[in-house]
Amino acid sequence: MNAITLSRDGALIHAGKVVDGDPLKYLSNGVELGEGFTLRGVFEMMRRYPILTRLDPFWDTLLEQYATWPPAGSEAGGLTCLEMGKTVEMIGFPGKPRLEIYVTLYGLVGDEALEIKTFQVESLLDTPVRLGGLKHIVFGDTVNVFQFKTVLCLFEFIEGIAWQLSFHGTPRECALRR
């Protein structure tokens, strides 16, 4: 699979060169993260390549908010990093099975996964991001979990971030009590 590297400053790098033209042709490329990549790099990528915001309606609102957030120093205390991965759930076997496949974004404290919905998005901006694996969960008479290496394509990466950030976070007033 062809790869596209996401740099910390938001540039897409393909074959060692910064993508200056249309980034849409790289949506199916596997994602690699440049050194020191943080969540801020995703927002910078969306600003640098505005056509990518059309992939999800939440990007317009997220970028409006991003313009008001601090330009540096927004690392969530206590989190080692944010990790993106995939989950495949096989549900209802035996019986009427169904399969759900989705991208996940969660915080890590050491090796322990932590939901990030209680964090303000702006407090996560300078938190390192890394790519995780695929978790295959089979729900049935017993629950079996398998872990695999996987690749996220650029589309999955962008959509996964937008989806997760669109409903994660609590109103600032609630966060003050933490």
Side-chain angles (χ1 to χ4, degrees):
M1 174 178 270
N2 287 328
I4 189 93
T5 301
L6 310 183
S7 71
R8 185 181 178 117
D9 67 356
L12 296 173
I13 301 170
H14 183 260
K17 296 181 182 176
V18 172
V19 173
D20 288 325
D22 183 3
L24 296 180
K25 62 185 170 186
Y26 301 103
L27 288 175
S28 64
N29 286 37
V31 168
E32 295 176 354
L33 302 179
E35 188 167 332
F37 190 81
T38 65
L39 188 60
R40 186 179 301 278
V42 177
F43 283 89
E44 290 300 320
M45 175 182 64
M46 301 309 282
R47 286 176 46 174
R48 186 177 196 136
Y49 306 99
I51 194 166
L52 295 176
T53 64
R54 295 175 60 195
L55 296 174
D56 191 289
F58 292 115
W59 277 114
D60 290 334
T61 301
L62 288 167
L63 286 172
E64 284 175 20
Q65 294 171 345
Y66 178 66
T68 67
W69 294 336
S74 297
E75 191 169 339
L79 291 181
T80 306
C81 67
L82 298 174
E83 185 171 89
M84 285 202 75
K86 288 183 186 177
T87 298
V88 176
E89 293 181 349
M90 194 170 171
I91 303 167
F93 180 81
K96 293 183 179 180
R98 74 178 196 273
L99 189 68
E100 295 183 5
I101 303 170
Y102 52 92
V103 175
T104 58
L105 176 68
Y106 46 88
L108 286 179
V109 178
D111 288 332
E112 186 177 330
L114 175 70
E115 285 193 34
I116 59 170
K117 65 183 176 183
T118 59
F119 289 89
Q120 295 295 318
V121 176
E122 65 265 31
S123 73
L124 299 170
L125 289 175
D126 297 314
T127 303
V129 177
R130 75 179 192 194
L131 300 174
L134 179 138
K135 185 185 295 185
H136 184 158
I137 305 170
V138 181
F139 294 100
D141 292 338
T142 61
V143 176
N144 295 301
V145 179
F146 306 95
Q147 303 267 354
F148 302 94
K149 287 187 175 187
T150 194
V151 174
L152 286 167
C153 70
L154 181 58
F155 174 79
E156 290 172 315
F157 185 86
I158 292 169
E159 178 63 17
I161 296 277
W163 172 255
Q164 199 70 34
L165 297 184
S166 67
F167 59 88
H168 280 235
T170 55
R172 184 178 310 281
E173 295 77 18
C174 296
L176 292 176
R177 290 189 287 154
R178 276 196 267 156

